């Protein structure tokens, strides 16, 4: 045998390296090549007849040079592209929604337009609008992990963002509505009107980014400890595509989570209200609102201001209402402040029950993704039949705006009009009941109660600025509501549109002698203003005068 041998060349061929010698060609993997570059000489390569008499050092130097060149080329290629992560987006007239493919366990995009599914893809590539020599690759947003390595270990897998599976057929819209409502009823105890609210709200949440609407009302669940607030939010999260359950809405990462995932947020125990929380809630409600932040990457190397647009669905739970009833007026209220009596609701969901719960919820997410695909391009073209208009003349504008939110779904599922009618009446009453519990509501309802008592000694006549008025002594309002509100009452009355005056009036001292004394008085407004206050803070007035029959 001719023992002469020499290395002729080493070439990279895709995921392989070909070592060409005088005796032939040996193909090795990139992993094996990297092992050689690390100073190792795999036995299978070293003992191959094709490598006989070829010094390791020669092979090592050639492979090291090739791998460095490849690494440099890969790095240059990576620098020419920007990766953006999204759950849902529209590009060149087509819609792309992220889903979890159960076949291979990968997150992908479903591509569709006008209700027709056109296939699924793993990424979309386009040119960078600022630097045309670079590409932007849009990929499915990854699952949130506690650490970067969490997804490696099966026991650490956590399904934080509820990605939907591949779209699942649901039959008719009435069947979809009934199926989701049945699931909610099975796992949580709420009033029937609130079951209707939860289902319709989630259906709108699925289409939130497609709606041409200026506002998206949030849901506020209010109940004492142990009445199922967390269970309700859990159930809602599990069946909502891109649902995300968290504690404390004021955390800094929330802006980035909203930007990346555009989730439907479910916030348990919202805790104390702060300015950041108020800003985020207002941004979620109002489509024109943004949360601003400083950023130096928006315009290459130029400091800039970036606006996080986090408009969209939000549901919160807590034991008490917000202190600001203006925020409550942007919400549907769900009250679980009643005795839980149903024995068929599982008190604990674990083991086989948990498997069934999660599987059923996953199927509903797939059905709601199909619903989104079906109506993404036509939800805004649905014309109203005027069903909601019968409520308009009775309600203040903000409350009417909230209640008209389901107008399109009423037209899509006409068979549930009676249920929606009862839901709207229930929400009108709940809105007032919650408003009464706020500081504004406590002061306003006290003012109205004193006013209703026409024989009340708390009402006086006085003159100020040459005009005669009637009013209620603030001292008497303090006596009704307690000292805790004494410092706030004047400001609250002003915010309610009730003027306060400081006239001098005659009052008798302990000896029965009249003396002029300066007092603070809440001026009684005209009838229109009084009715406005009653429509917001007087439940009996609502039930007797405003609710449609």
């Amino acid at each position: 045998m001719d023992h002469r041998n020499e290395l002729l060349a080493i070439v990279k061929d895709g995921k392989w390296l070909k070592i060409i010698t005088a005796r032939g060609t040996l193909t090795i993997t990139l992993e094996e090549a990297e092992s050689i570059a690390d100073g190792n000489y795999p036995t299978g390569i070293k003992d191959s007849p094709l490598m006989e008499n070829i010094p390791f050092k020669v092979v090592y130097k050639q492979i090291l040079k090739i791998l460095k060149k490849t690494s440099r080329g890969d790095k240059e290629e990576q620098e020419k592209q920007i990766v953006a992560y999204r759950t849902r987006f529209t590009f060149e007239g087509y819609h792309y929604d992220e889903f979890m493919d159960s076949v291979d366990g990968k997150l992908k995009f479903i591509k569709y337009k006008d209700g027709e599914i056109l296939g699924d893809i793993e990424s979309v590539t386009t040119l960078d609008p600022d630097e045309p020599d670079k590409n932007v690759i849009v990929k499915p947003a990854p699952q949130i992990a506690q650490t970067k390595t969490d997804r490696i270990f099966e026991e650490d897998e956590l399904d934080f963002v509820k990605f939907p599976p591949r779209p699942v057929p649901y039959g008719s819209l009435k069947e979809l509505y009934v199926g989701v409502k049945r699931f909610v009823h099975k796992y949580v105890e709420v009033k029937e009107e609130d079951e209707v609210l939860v289902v319709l709200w989630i259906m709108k949440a699925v289409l939130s980014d497609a709606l041409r609407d200026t506002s998206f009302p949030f849901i506020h669940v209010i109940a004492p400890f142990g009445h199922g607030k967390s269970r309700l939010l859990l159930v809602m999260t599990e069946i909502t595509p891109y649902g995300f359950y968290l504690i404390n809405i004021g955390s800094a990462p929330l802006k980035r989570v909203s930007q990346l995932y555009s989730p439907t947020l479910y916030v348990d125990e919202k805790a104390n209200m702060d300015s950041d929380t108020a800003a985020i809630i207002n941004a979620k409600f109002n489509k024109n609102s943004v949360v601003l932040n400083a950023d130096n990457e928006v315009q290459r190397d130029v400091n800039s201001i970036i606006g996080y647009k986090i408009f969209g669905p939000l549901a919160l739970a807590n034991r008490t209402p917000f202190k600001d009833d203006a925020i409550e007026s942007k919400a549907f209220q769900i009250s679980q402040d009643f005795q839980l009596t149903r024995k068929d609701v599982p008190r604990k969901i674990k083991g086989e029950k948990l498997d069934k719960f999660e599987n059923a919820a996953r199927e509903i997410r797939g059905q709601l993704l199909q619903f989104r695909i079906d109506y993404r391009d036509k939800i805004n073209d649905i014309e109203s039949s005027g069903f909601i208009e019968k409520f308009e003349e009775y309600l203040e504008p903000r409350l009417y705006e909230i209640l008209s939110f389901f107008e399109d779904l009423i037209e899509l599922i006409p068979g549930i009009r009676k249920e929606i009618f009862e839901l709207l009446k229930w929400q009108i009453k709940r809105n007032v009941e919650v408003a009464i519990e706020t500081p504004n509501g406590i002061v306003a309802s006290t003012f109205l109660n004193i006013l209703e008592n026409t024989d009340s000694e708390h009402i006086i006549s006085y003159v100020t600025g040459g005009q005669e008025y009637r009013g209620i002594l603030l001292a008497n309002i303090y006596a009704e509501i307690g000292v805790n509100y004494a410092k706030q009452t004047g400001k609250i009355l002003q915010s309610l549109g009730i003027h306060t005056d400081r006239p001098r009036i005659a009052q008798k001292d302990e000896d029965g002698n009249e003396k002029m004394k300066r007092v603070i008085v809440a001026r009684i407004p005209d009838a229109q203003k009084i009715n406005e206050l009653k429509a917001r803070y007087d439940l009996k007035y609502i039930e007797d005068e405003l609710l449609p029959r």
Side-chain angles (χ1 to χ4, degrees):
M1 177 183 289
D2 186 357
H3 292 285
R4 289 175 300 173
N5 194 15
E6 63 177 319
L7 181 64
L8 302 179
I10 300 178
V11 295
K12 185 174 182 291
D13 183 13
K15 297 181 178 179
W16 309 91
L17 251 64
K18 292 185 176 182
I19 303 175
I20 305 171
T21 70
R23 293 185 181 176
T25 301
L26 177 66
T27 302
I28 67 174
T29 65
L30 283 177
E31 287 78 8
E32 290 172 321
E34 288 170 355
S35 180
I36 293 173
D38 289 337
N40 304 309
Y41 205 177
T43 304
I45 300 172
K46 178 182 179 181
D47 295 341
S48 170
L50 299 177
M51 301 298 292
E52 189 177 359
N53 297 330
I54 295 178
F56 171 74
K57 184 165 63 175
V58 176
V59 178
Y60 168 79
K61 286 183 178 180
Q62 287 288 329
I63 287 181
L64 193 62
K65 186 187 296 183
I66 288 172
L67 291 182
K68 281 186 176 180
K69 183 177 179 181
T70 301
S71 177
R72 194 163 51 244
D74 291 344
K75 185 176 181 181
E76 290 173 355
E77 188 64 30
Q78 290 173 1
E79 288 175 350
K80 289 184 179 180
Q81 60 191 31
I82 299 170
V83 178
Y85 294 99
R86 292 290 184 273
T87 57
R88 306 176 300 283
F89 66 97
T90 299
F91 177 66
E92 294 183 342
Y94 297 97
H95 308 301
Y96 298 84
D97 290 355
E98 185 174 356
F99 74 99
M100 172 63 77
D101 193 336
S102 60
V103 176
D104 56 17
K106 289 184 177 180
L107 292 168
K108 300 177 181 178
F109 291 120
I110 198 87
K111 180 180 179 181
Y112 63 97
K113 183 177 183 179
D114 296 326
E116 180 183 359
I117 295 176
L118 304 173
D120 52 78
I121 58 174
E122 295 190 14
S123 64
V124 174
T125 302
T126 184
L127 293 177
D128 185 329
D130 296 324
E131 301 181 49
D133 61 323
K134 292 186 177 182
N135 290 330
V136 175
I137 301 177
V138 186
K139 294 184 177 183
Q143 181 59 266
I144 293 177
Q146 290 176 307
T147 68
K148 292 182 180 178
T149 58
D150 277 355
R151 292 191 297 274
I152 297 174
F153 310 108
E154 290 185 10
E155 64 270 21
D156 288 336
E157 286 185 356
L158 292 170
D159 191 14
F160 290 111
V161 180
K162 302 300 176 182
F163 293 114
R166 190 177 291 278
V168 176
Y170 53 80
S172 68
L173 284 178
K174 180 67 179 292
E175 289 174 306
L176 174 64
Y177 166 81
V178 170
V180 180
K181 187 165 177 272
R182 186 184 300 120
F183 182 88
V184 173
H185 181 81
K186 181 176 181 178
Y187 288 104
V188 67
E189 184 172 356
V190 292
K191 300 292 187 182
E192 184 177 357
E193 294 87 352
D194 292 330
E195 290 180 357
V196 176
L197 169 63
V198 165
V199 177
L200 296 179
W201 188 86
I202 289 175
M203 291 178 73
K204 287 297 291 280
V206 170
L207 295 166
S208 61
D209 57 317
L211 299 174
R212 291 202 299 270
D213 203 337
T214 57
S215 60
F216 199 108
F218 61 92
I219 281 180
H220 192 189
V221 184
I222 306 171
F225 174 79
H227 279 236
K229 300 187 300 296
S230 298
R231 170 66 68 84
L232 176 57
L233 289 189
L234 169 67
V235 169
M236 293 174 72
T237 303
E238 286 288 338
I239 60 179
T240 305
Y242 319 107
F244 185 41
Y245 183 105
L246 72 161
I247 306 294
N248 185 7
I249 194 174
S251 58
L254 182 60
K255 292 179 290 187
R256 300 193 185 280
V257 168
S258 295
Q259 196 80 346
L260 179 60
Y261 296 97
S262 300
T264 297
L265 291 176
Y266 295 97
V267 184
D268 200 359
E269 296 295 348
K270 64 176 176 58
N272 293 326
M273 183 72 176
D274 55 26
S275 58
D276 288 341
T277 306
I280 289 173
I281 289 175
N282 281 312
K284 296 296 286 180
F285 175 80
N286 191 327
K287 195 164 191 174
N288 295 317
S289 296
V290 294
V291 176
L292 297 180
N293 210 21
D295 186 61
N296 61 0
E297 297 178 359
V298 179
Q299 301 169 2
R300 309 290 186 259
D301 300 321
V302 178
N303 286 332
S304 182
I305 297 296
I306 184 171
Y308 290 92
K309 192 169 183 62
I310 57 177
F311 168 75
L314 169 69
L316 306 99
N318 203 34
R319 303 177 196 181
T320 57
F322 286 106
K323 292 181 180 179
D324 185 353
D325 64 334
I327 294 179
E328 285 294 351
S329 71
K330 299 175 181 178
F332 293 107
Q333 284 85 20
I334 292 179
S335 173
Q336 291 181 287
D337 189 5
F338 55 85
Q339 188 66 38
L340 303 179
T341 58
R342 285 178 49 200
K343 303 297 184 183
D344 58 321
V345 176
R347 292 293 174 250
K348 185 77 173 174
I349 306 176
K350 65 177 183 177
E352 186 178 347
K353 286 183 179 180
L354 179 61
D355 292 338
K356 291 181 178 179
F357 170 78
E358 290 179 340
N359 290 336
R362 189 177 301 109
E363 181 175 5
I364 289 175
R365 293 202 302 271
Q367 292 174 334
L368 288 170
L369 177 57
Q370 182 63 59
F371 166 69
R372 173 179 166 82
I373 291 169
D374 291 340
Y375 289 92
R376 171 71 175 76
D377 288 317
K378 52 187 177 184
I379 186 67
N380 295 301
D381 298 328
I382 297 170
E383 295 185 5
S384 170
S385 63
F387 176 79
I388 298 290
E389 291 177 5
K390 64 183 70 177
F391 289 89
E392 185 173 10
E393 64 180 289
Y394 305 110
L395 304 175
E396 59 175 324
R398 172 63 62 77
L399 187 54
Y400 178 73
E401 180 184 5
I402 297 293
L403 296 181
S404 63
F405 183 64
F406 297 127
E407 205 165 17
D408 42 20
L409 293 182
I410 293 172
E411 306 306 324
L412 287 176
I413 321 174
I416 62 172
R417 288 193 173 195
K418 183 178 180 181
E419 293 174 78
I420 292 182
F421 186 76
E422 294 303 316
L423 162 65
L424 298 181
K425 291 201 298 183
W426 172 254
Q427 276 301 309
I428 291 171
K429 291 195 290 185
R430 280 298 301 146
N431 197 275
V432 174
E433 288 171 349
V434 171
I436 291 172
E437 296 177 25
T438 66
N440 281 20
I442 291 171
V443 173
S445 57
T446 301
F447 180 86
L448 290 172
N449 287 338
I450 294 175
L451 191 59
E452 287 295 307
N453 183 2
T454 54
D455 298 329
S456 175
E457 60 183 14
H458 301 323
I459 299 176
I460 65 169
S461 297
Y462 64 95
V463 176
T464 183
Q467 295 287 326
E468 185 173 351
Y469 300 101
R470 295 173 70 243
I472 299 172
L473 293 170
L474 250 62
N476 294 327
I477 297 179
Y478 298 157
E480 293 289 333
I481 63 178
V483 295
N484 290 338
Y485 289 96
K487 294 182 179 179
Q488 304 177 50
T489 300
K491 292 181 179 179
I492 290 175
L493 288 169
Q494 293 282 355
S495 70
L496 294 171
I498 299 174
H499 295 284
T500 55
D501 297 315
R502 290 175 54 85
R504 294 174 66 86
I505 62 172
Q507 287 189 329
K508 292 183 178 180
D509 59 18
E510 294 179 354
D511 298 326
N513 301 317
E514 282 196 354
K515 291 186 177 181
M516 300 301 293
K517 183 179 179 181
R518 191 173 296 279
V519 295
I520 305 176
V521 180
R523 186 190 302 175
I524 297 174
D526 60 25
Q528 181 179 348
K529 183 62 183 180
I530 292 172
N531 287 336
E532 287 178 9
L533 292 173
K534 287 182 177 181
R536 183 73 183 128
Y537 302 107
D538 189 333
L539 185 59
K540 188 175 185 305
Y541 176 79
I542 289 285
E543 292 175 331
D544 293 345
E545 303 292 336
L546 299 188
L547 282 183
R549 305 300 177 187

